[in-house]
Amino acid sequence: MNGYSVVLTKVFVLSLNAILLLTSCTSLQQDVSIPVRQSENSADVIAIETRLAVLDAATFMPDDKTETADRNAACAVLIDDVDALLSAPEISKSVQARFWALKGRILLLSGKKSRARSCWNTASVLFGADPQTVILGARLGEPVDLDKQIAASDERALLLLERALRRYTAGQFSGAVADFDTAFMTLEPFYRTAYGGVRDRAWKFHTAIPAQEGKDASILQYQNITVSEMMLAAQQTSDILFNYTAGKNLSEKVLFNKLTGAGLVSPVSAAFSADTVLAADQKATRIICARFLWNLYIATKEDPASALRYSRIYRKTSGLQSPIPDIPLDSPDFDAAAGCVETELMDLPDGVHFFPDRCVDAVDFCRWLSYIKQPLR
């Protein structure tokens, strides 16, 4: 073989090696980054995500009645199904990453954080950019920049849904609704079915009170609030207590003591007595909310004596009966109930009765509070 032939042979070998290397790298790239939704395993992935979505969404609903044992049992079955899919031969690394991340999320729902983190480590090595891997990392407390991940991801809708849930939990309800609605536009319908209730609660909270810069509205998620939580909700969602707090965010205990001392939970239709003293952890029923709201409302008026105007009419005029059947004339909160209804701070749920002993959610209380137009300053 002459020198020219040797050179040609070397060039051919080098070119062949380069082509093989390029082909290998290209294959590896495709194995890792091909969208899971376009893989041959997409039906299996969707089946697992459908069941996970139902279990996960329930944890964001405070009225969820699922027992922990039932949820753990459902998670155990789901984990077995994921393990079976992971044992299948020749699945791509991107799909493996998705399954490991889903398994980690299921384990996290079961309270098994260390095992969930192990799954996250495996998924991160296989394909760290997978949205389910990112979501699992965020829920494990990893420093995940969701905004940055959303901008870079091919499956941004999943990450938008996670940001919606994060904003919902933080009380950023307007942003949560926007993210939910955008995500639902491109996600599979089962996501709307599973998380639609959370989205609707976010909308309800968003419309309950006007958004206020610097206000933490997360307390709106509280169900069956106590007296001290009622006060805390007033402090966190409005400026109505400015004269009492000087604009400071007081602790729940300090706030309760200050507002109780100011008489905001004292009845106006009867003399103060041991029977009308409220405890901080006592349920804030509709009649207690009426007492608090009526005292606040009267405090915004120039004539404090107007607080008793209903008693003056109904109690001193022979033959008159209470205009509200379940609030008797001799109730210590007669003026509060009648006043809140007449001024439209509160309503009669069935158009007739007040339902004084019915428990109250924070969102309903804050809606009533917002009807007191004049802040106390």
Side-chain angles (χ1 to χ4, degrees), residues 161 179-187 191-192 195-196 199:
L161 176 62
D179 280 348
F180 275 125
D181 290 345
T182 304
F184 289 158
M185 288 175 65
T186 52
L187 286 173
Y191 277 106
R192 180 184 291 274
Y195 293 96
R199 183 267 176 205

Side-chain angles (χ1 to χ4, degrees), residues 54 56-66 71 168 194-202 221 223:
V54 173
D56 183 59
T59 65
F60 291 91
M61 300 294 285
D63 52 352
D64 173 47
K65 300 298 190 297
T66 306
R71 178 176 289 117
Y168 170 81
Y195 293 96
V198 188
R199 183 267 176 205
D200 291 344
R201 284 180 63 82
Q221 299 184 50
Q223 307 289 301

Side-chain angles (χ1 to χ4, degrees), residues 31-322:
D31 184 48
V32 172
S33 62
I34 185 171
V36 171
R37 286 293 185 273
Q38 298 175 18
S39 72
E40 61 184 15
N41 304 91
S42 60
D44 294 328
V45 170
I46 291 173
I48 297 298
E49 290 183 343
T50 300
R51 294 156 63 190
L52 172 59
V54 173
L55 293 170
D56 183 59
T59 65
F60 291 91
M61 300 294 285
D63 52 352
D64 173 47
K65 300 298 190 297
T66 306
E67 297 290 341
T68 300
D70 293 338
R71 178 176 289 117
N72 289 345
C75 287
V77 173
L78 195 50
I79 289 171
D80 287 343
D81 291 344
V82 174
D83 284 340
L85 291 168
L86 278 169
S87 66
E90 299 180 357
I91 58 174
S92 67
K93 288 185 177 180
S94 58
V95 173
Q96 288 182 56
R98 176 64 59 94
F99 283 143
W100 277 109
L102 290 172
K103 181 177 179 179
R105 288 191 57 186
I106 301 164
L107 286 165
L108 199 56
L109 280 178
S110 303
K112 299 172 181 177
K113 189 172 182 179
S114 60
R115 290 181 60 191
R117 183 169 294 280
S118 177
C119 290
W120 177 73
N121 289 334
T122 302
S124 297
V125 171
L126 288 166
F127 186 23
D130 181 84
Q132 291 289 7
T133 304
V134 173
I135 291 169
L136 176 58
R139 298 214 180 174
L140 286 168
E142 294 296 319
V144 175
D145 187 338
L146 272 182
D147 294 339
K148 183 177 180 180
Q149 294 289 342
I150 288 168
S153 178
D154 290 332
E155 293 184 74
R156 63 189 300 268
L158 278 172
L159 297 176
L160 276 172
L161 176 62
E162 182 65 15
R163 190 172 70 180
L165 293 169
R166 177 179 287 190
R167 286 176 166 175
Y168 170 81
T169 303
Q172 301 168 2
F173 301 117
S174 178
V177 170
D179 280 348
F180 275 125
D181 290 345
T182 304
F184 289 158
M185 288 175 65
T186 52
L187 286 173
E188 286 83 359
F190 71 81
Y191 277 106
R192 180 184 291 274
T193 300
Y195 293 96
V198 188
R199 183 267 176 205
D200 291 344
R201 284 180 63 82
W203 175 254
K204 179 182 179 182
F205 297 157
H206 166 61
T207 56
I209 57 170
Q212 298 193 41
E213 190 68 29
K215 294 293 183 181
D216 175 12
S218 59
I219 198 170
L220 287 176
Q221 299 184 50
Y222 285 30
Q223 307 289 301
N224 301 331
I225 57 174
T226 64
V227 173
S228 61
E229 288 170 348
M230 172 187 71
M231 296 172 173
L232 200 61
Q235 175 180 254
Q236 291 187 359
T237 62
S238 76
D239 295 323
I240 196 71
L241 299 179
F242 185 87
N243 276 358
Y244 303 95
T245 65
K248 298 178 181 178
N249 286 322
L250 303 181
S251 70
E252 191 170 335
K253 181 178 180 180
V254 171
L255 184 66
F256 173 79
N257 290 335
K258 184 174 286 291
L259 300 187
T260 299
L264 290 183
V265 286
S266 299
V268 299
S269 304
F272 185 80
S273 69
D275 293 335
T276 58
V277 174
L278 300 179
D281 60 354
Q282 185 172 337
K283 291 298 181 184
T285 58
R286 280 176 56 87
I287 196 63
I288 290 175
C289 288
R291 183 189 297 184
F292 184 71
L293 292 167
W294 187 239
N295 281 320
L296 280 174
Y297 178 81
I298 293 300
T300 68
K301 306 303 176 186
E302 296 181 359
D303 181 19
S306 64
L308 291 165
R309 59 179 176 264
Y310 304 99
S311 292
R312 292 196 191 98
I313 297 172
Y314 285 91
R315 289 181 179 178
K316 294 183 178 181
T317 303
S318 178
L320 288 182
Q321 296 181 342
S322 173

